[in-house]
Every structure is written in structure tokens, then in C-alpha cells.
């Protein structure tokens, strides 16, 4: 094998990796999935404002929607990527930051006399999360584009 052939083969492998990554991001971070995920987070956070039996009962449909999302991902995703340690740690850190921000905002809203502090804080956290994710995904797309050949 000549060096030019090896370089061309490596370039082809990188191109396919970029295409797979772009497809993964395009499916996992599509507008519908992001909105549904934001709705799940919002309902979960807003359930703290409901009276005792209903606050926990709201989480049953949330769990059902999460299971439905997982089933759709397993059935329909054209590209699946294995969860790496780095991605898992990033997810845990993002989740902890989200819950921490929610706690600070709900405490501030409660101190300010807002009648439903968890609902307001959940709406703010979800709106900020959507903005951050959309900017991150739009700015971090690989050069191969979205499924182009």
C-alpha cells in the first residue's frame, strides 16, 4: 500500500466518523426531542408545587414518556454511539448543574413571594437549557455536515 492510498483511506474513515457523529447529533438533538425532553424536565420540576398525592403521581406519566423515548431511540436511530466515560461524566455534571440552578432559582422565587416557585424556576431552567443546547449543538457540528456523502 502506498502512502497516498493509506492517507486516502484514513481520510475516508474520518469522513464516515464525521457523518456518523452528525447523524447522531441530528437525531438525538432534533427539535422535537429537545422540546419533549424540556417538557419532561419542566413537569418534573413543577410537580413540587402540587399537593402531596398529585406531586408524585405526575411522575408516572413522565416515566412512561421516558420509556417511550428510549424505545423509539432503540427502534429508529440510524446511528448509535456507545456511552463513553467522558460523555457519562459530562451528562452527570450537566444534570447536577441543572438541579443546582433549579434549587437556587426556586429558593429565590420562594423568597420573593411567587405563589408557584418551582413552576417558575422549572420554566426558566428549561428555557435556558434549550438555548444552551441549541447553541452548543449548532456550534459543535463536525465539518462533514449532516449525513452528506
Amino acid at each position: 500500500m502506498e502512502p497516498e492510498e493509506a492517507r486516502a483511506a484514513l481520510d475516508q474513515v474520518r469522513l464516515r466518523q464525521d457523518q456518523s457523529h452528525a447523524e447522531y447529533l441530528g437525531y438525538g438533538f432534533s427539535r422535537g426531542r429537545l422540546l419533549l425532553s424540556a417538557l419532561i424536565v419542566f413537569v418534573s420540576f413543577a410537580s413540587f408545587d402540587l399537593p402531596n398525592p398529585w406531586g408524585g403521581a405526575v411522575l408516572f406519566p413522565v416515566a412512561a414518556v421516558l420509556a417511550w423515548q428510549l424505545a423509539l431511540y432503540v427502534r429508529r436511530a440510524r446511528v448509535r454511539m456507545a456511552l463513553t466515560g467522558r460523555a457519562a461524566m459530562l451528562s452527570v455534571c450537566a444534570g447536577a448543574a441543572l438541579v443546582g440552578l433549579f434549587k437556587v432559582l426556586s429558593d429565590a422565587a420562594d423568597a420573593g413571594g411567587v405563589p408557584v416557585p418551582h413552576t417558575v424556576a422549572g420554566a426558566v431552567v428549561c428555557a435556558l437549557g434549550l438555548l444552551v443546547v441549541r447553541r452548543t449543538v449548532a456550534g459543535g457540528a463536525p465539518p462533514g455536515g449532516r449525513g452528506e456523502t
Side-chain angles (χ1 to χ4, degrees):
M1 178 180 273
E2 297 295 318
E4 295 81 23
E5 293 172 336
R7 189 171 297 116
L10 284 175
D11 288 342
Q12 196 68 3
V13 167
R14 287 187 191 109
L15 174 67
R16 296 295 179 216
Q17 285 176 337
D18 288 345
Q19 288 174 339
S20 295
H21 188 69
E23 180 67 30
Y24 178 75
L25 288 178
Y27 180 79
F29 292 102
S30 65
R31 185 180 313 256
R33 284 200 171 280
L34 288 177
L35 290 175
L36 186 59
S37 297
L39 181 65
I40 288 169
V41 171
F42 172 72
V43 168
S44 299
F45 284 159
S47 70
F48 287 106
D49 287 331
L50 294 173
N52 229 355
W54 298 107
V58 167
L59 298 179
F60 288 117
V62 167
V65 171
L66 284 172
W68 177 61
Q69 264 193 321
L70 179 63
L72 282 180
Y73 173 74
V74 168
R75 275 193 83 192
R76 293 188 180 168
R78 292 178 15 183
V79 175
R80 291 185 199 97
M81 298 179 85
L83 182 65
T84 63
R86 180 177 177 220
M89 186 57 70
L90 182 63
S91 297
V92 167
C93 290
L98 208 118
V99 170
L101 178 63
F102 168 73
K103 181 72 174 144
V104 167
L105 288 175
S106 64
D107 287 346
D110 195 27
V114 175
V116 284
H118 298 102
T119 303
V120 171
V124 170
V125 166
C126 288
L128 287 174
L130 285 173
L131 287 173
V132 167
V133 168
R134 288 305 288 178
R135 284 184 181 227
T136 302
V137 171
R146 187 183 262 178
E148 297 172 1
T149 54

